[in-house]
């Protein structure tokens, strides 16, 4: 049978970004490129998303991470890849234990109530449920297996009920100097000044529990997992020995993701643990990072009272994913206007292959959503409808 003629290239004299698109994108062979790294996928694409510690309500900074993780999955699906996501819940954590205590509640029951609110927010934001949602307290045996594997490889040692991972090499791998690394390790509760450790960057895979802490029996005594070890174990348990993309907020780059990846590689011998990382830029408010501890935050649930989830998605997505930005309520009017422009473009006739191809190319090039939206709004038709579908804005 005669093959149909090849579709023309994108150089059709169309205005704007479309003219620079010389070849149509063939989604059967197209690869996503993240931060300069092409990610060809054969078989399922595995995404691990560092999830919530369920001790308080969701703010816009959290939402940014989960909405971008959602779009990452959608763009990979657009290329025909099967996508498997694992988004953990850190429900064994000292901050959570203290928050539950302060309210006179048991940590796991309190965590479940917070998870329920989080999931309501995610649904309203159109974030698709992950394939796996591991909870730390269900993976205690996996953390103990991780500790045993690290001890067997001499990548960990036992001290007074702790199992410490030898993390000294992580600092250089992360491209940090020792002072910067020490400051960050202290800020995230790694206790680099603890005299029990052979090196300041050794971190607990397992640690003994106090009276108020959740505790499980182990070969090293009653205790509980360390934070980085929880994520290493949950990623292994749900996705296997490596992932295609490790996702989290920018502040999780070090020490959390650096230690998690190093532990996973040391235990399994398989590396790199993550082929690429997506660290979503922080959301600031009143000049500093939105944070529960400082109280300068805007809650997703509050914004949802006056704005549809699609407008909040647009607010979060119409910017480079890696860049920190300052939230102000005035930005919501811009997000609504951009959404209206996209919908009206989607209603226009026309199905220029070149425009659709240009929008697709933007999405595949480091998830350039603002660039894809520019093409879609300008060209309209199928390019705009593609954006509504892939970004889940309908
Ligand atoms: Zn994590």
């Amino acid at each position: 049978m005669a093959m149909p003629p090849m579709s023309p290239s994108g150089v059709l004299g169309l205005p704007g970004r479309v003219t620079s698109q010389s070849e149509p994108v063939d989604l059967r062979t197209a690869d996503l490129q993240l931060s300069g790294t092409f990610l060809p996928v054969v078989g399922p694409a595995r995404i691990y998303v560092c999830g919530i510690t369920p001790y308080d309500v969701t703010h816009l900074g959290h939402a940014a991470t989960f909405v971008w993780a959602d779009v990452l999955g959608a763009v990979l699906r657009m290329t025909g890849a099967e996508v498997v996501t694992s988004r953990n819940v850190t429900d064994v954590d000292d901050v959570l234990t203290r928050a539950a205590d302060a309210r006179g509640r048991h940590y796991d029951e309190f965590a479940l109530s917070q998870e329920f609110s989080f999931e309501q927010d995610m649904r309203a934001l159109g974030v698709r449920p992950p394939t796996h949602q591991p909870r730390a307290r269900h993976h205690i045996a996996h953390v103990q297996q991780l500790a045993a594997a690290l001890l067997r490889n001499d990548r960990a040692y036992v001290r007074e009920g702790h199992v410490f991972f030898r993390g000294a090499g992580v600092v250089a791998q992360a491209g940090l100097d020792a002072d910067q690394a020490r400051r960050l390790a202290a800020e995230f509760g790694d206790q680099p000044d603890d005299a029990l450790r052979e090196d300041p960057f050794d971190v607990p895979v397992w640690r003994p529990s106090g009276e108020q802490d959740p505790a499980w029996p182990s070969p090293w005594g009653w205790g509980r997992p360390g934070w980085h070890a929880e994520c290493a174990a949950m990623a292994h348990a749900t996705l296997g020995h490596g992932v295609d993309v490790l996702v989290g907020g920018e502040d999780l780059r070090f020490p959390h993701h650096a230690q998690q990846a190093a532990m996973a590689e040391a235990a399994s011998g398989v590396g790199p643990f993550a082929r690429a990382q997506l660290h979503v830029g922080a959301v600031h408010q009143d000049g500093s990072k939105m944070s529960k501890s400082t109280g300068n935050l805007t809650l997703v649930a509050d914004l949802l009272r006056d704005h549809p989830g699609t407008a909040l998605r647009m607010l979060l997505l119409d910017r480079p994913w890696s860049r920190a930005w300052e939230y102000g309520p005035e930005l919501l009017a811009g997000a609504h206007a951009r959404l209206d422009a996209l919908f009206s473009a989607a209603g226009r006739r026309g199905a220029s292959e070149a425009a659709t191809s240009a929008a697709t190319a933007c999405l595949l090039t480091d998830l350039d959503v603002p660039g894809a939206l520019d093409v879609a709004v300008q060209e309209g038709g199928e390019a705009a409808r593609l954006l509504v579908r892939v970004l889940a804005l309908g």
Side-chain angles (χ1 to χ4, degrees):
M1 196 203 313
M3 294 294 287
M6 291 290 287
S7 59
S9 79
V11 186
L12 295 173
L14 287 163
R17 301 175 68 107
V18 175
T19 53
S20 66
Q21 180 62 35
S22 57
E23 294 293 332
V25 175
D26 184 341
L27 286 175
R28 292 168 301 183
T29 53
D31 293 324
L32 172 65
Q33 174 243 300
L34 270 186
S35 306
T37 303
F38 280 96
L39 285 176
V41 173
V42 179
R46 298 148 305 160
I47 302 174
Y48 187 83
V49 187
C50 228
I52 54 160
T53 301
Y55 75 99
D56 209 341
V57 278
T58 316
H59 64 63
L60 213 47
H62 301 129
T65 296
F66 303 123
V67 167
W68 273 109
D70 189 54
V71 166
L72 167 68
V75 170
L76 282 164
R77 254 180 242 112
M78 182 185 78
T79 68
E82 178 195 342
V83 176
V84 181
T85 50
S86 180
R87 187 182 70 208
N88 74 286
V89 178
T90 306
D91 64 356
V92 180
D93 185 279
D94 291 355
V95 177
L96 167 64
T97 309
R98 283 197 295 273
D101 274 355
R103 291 162 178 80
R105 294 169 72 175
H106 200 265
Y107 83 95
D108 51 359
E109 175 270 328
F110 177 62
L112 278 175
S113 68
Q114 296 301 306
E115 266 184 70
F116 180 75
S117 307
F118 169 74
E119 281 172 15
Q120 271 186 319
D121 290 344
M122 291 300 107
R123 259 196 303 279
L125 288 172
V127 172
R128 282 150 275 222
T131 320
H132 304 282
Q133 186 148 240
R135 293 173 175 82
R137 70 193 153 92
H138 294 159
H139 289 273
I140 303 301
H142 291 125
V143 174
Q144 294 186 3
Q145 284 168 351
L146 178 74
L150 292 169
L151 287 167
R152 203 175 302 121
N153 296 345
D154 194 31
R155 301 297 300 274
Y157 54 93
V158 178
R159 287 279 186 291
E160 299 182 13
H162 297 76
V163 177
F164 285 115
F165 170 63
R166 298 185 193 279
V170 169
V171 178
Q173 274 171 7
L176 296 173
D177 68 44
D179 286 345
Q180 275 177 309
R182 205 169 176 126
R183 185 178 53 73
L184 287 168
E187 186 183 324
F188 284 90
D190 275 357
Q191 302 178 30
D193 299 320
D194 175 13
L196 268 185
R197 299 162 203 226
E198 291 180 6
D199 184 276
F201 299 105
D202 294 347
V203 290
V205 182
W206 188 259
R207 58 204 176 127
S209 292
E211 279 294 306
Q212 301 301 316
D213 300 315
W216 290 265
S218 86
W220 316 284
W222 283 80
R224 65 206 195 281
W227 177 34
H228 314 312
E230 288 176 343
C231 271
M234 286 188 274
H236 270 176
T238 51
L239 298 177
H241 287 140
V243 301
D244 293 286
V245 190
L246 176 60
V247 183
E250 171 61 35
D251 57 348
L252 295 183
R253 191 186 289 274
F254 188 91
H256 184 53
H257 282 171
Q259 293 280 13
Q260 172 188 353
M263 271 183 206
E265 289 166 11
S268 68
V270 176
F273 166 68
R275 296 171 72 203
Q277 304 202 358
L278 186 87
H279 286 125
V280 177
V283 184
H284 292 236
Q285 184 169 313
D286 305 325
S288 61
K289 184 174 156 284
M290 221 177 252
S291 157
K292 287 172 185 171
S293 52
T294 53
N296 62 320
L297 44 79
T298 294
L299 302 182
V300 169
D302 287 346
L303 290 178
L304 284 168
R305 270 196 275 279
D306 298 319
H307 306 275
T310 47
L312 302 190
R313 272 181 89 90
M314 183 62 99
L315 171 74
L316 298 169
L317 293 172
D318 193 9
R319 60 191 68 255
W321 56 266
S322 60
R323 196 178 298 164
W325 56 286
E326 170 88 16
Y327 166 74
E330 72 284 356
L331 295 179
L332 282 159
H336 277 283
R338 186 78 146 159
L339 202 54
D340 289 347
L342 180 67
F343 287 158
S344 107
R348 292 209 300 267
R349 276 152 132 21
S352 152
E353 250 186 69
T356 308
S357 200
T360 305
C362 287
L363 292 175
L364 291 174
T365 308
D366 209 19
L367 303 177
D368 177 10
V369 171
L373 284 168
D374 287 346
V375 172
V377 168
Q378 183 175 305
E379 302 298 329
E382 179 52 28
R385 292 190 285 276
L386 171 89
L387 264 285
V388 171
R389 281 197 305 276
V390 174
L391 302 180
L393 294 170

